[in-house]
Amino acid sequence: MTQTEKTQVSLQLPRQLVADFDRIAAALDRDRAWVFQTALAHYLAGEGAEILQDAEGIAEFDRGESVDLDEVIAKALRLVEEAEDRRRRRAG
C-alpha cells in the first residue's frame, strides 16, 4: 500500500470507532493512519468493487448495451431442445 502521491482527508468519526482503530494499531505496532488505509483498501477491494461493478452494469444498460433476459432464456431453451433432439436421433 505504498503510494507516492497522497491527499489529506479529514473525517468526523464516532469516538468508539477511532478507539477501536487505535487498539488495532497498538496491537499491530502500527499507526492509526496505516490501519485506516488498510481498512479502506479492504473495503474498496470487496464491497466497493461490487458497487463499482454494479454502477458500470447500470451505465451499460443505460447505453443500451444489454440483452433482453427473455431472449437469452428462449435461446438457451432452443439450444437444449436441439441437443436433446440430436441425442434422441443418435440413440435411435
Side-chain angles (χ1 to χ4, degrees):
M1 207 179 300
T2 59
Q3 296 177 344
T4 57
E5 204 172 313
K6 297 195 180 223
T7 300
Q8 184 162 342
V9 177
S10 175
L11 298 171
Q12 290 186 352
L13 300 170
R15 283 189 181 146
Q16 186 57 53
L17 184 62
V18 175
D20 291 342
F21 274 97
D22 286 341
R23 288 182 20 235
I24 293 167
L28 296 174
D29 195 27
R30 297 283 195 156
D31 64 10
R32 180 193 297 165
W34 182 89
V35 178
F36 280 139
Q37 289 174 11
T38 302
L40 289 171
H42 282 281
Y43 172 81
L44 290 174
E47 186 176 345
E50 289 179 25
I51 291 168
L52 293 176
Q53 286 175 342
D54 291 347
E56 179 55 30
I58 292 168
E60 288 173 1
F61 182 78
D62 288 344
R63 292 189 303 265
E65 301 170 1
S66 61
V67 179
D68 185 277
L69 180 60
D70 292 332
E71 291 176 22
V72 173
I73 292 172
K75 184 176 181 179
L77 290 173
R78 280 194 308 274
L79 292 171
V80 169
E81 287 174 11
E82 290 170 5
E84 288 175 349
D85 287 345
R86 284 191 302 274
R87 184 184 54 78
R88 280 193 288 268
R89 284 193 300 267
R90 281 193 303 257

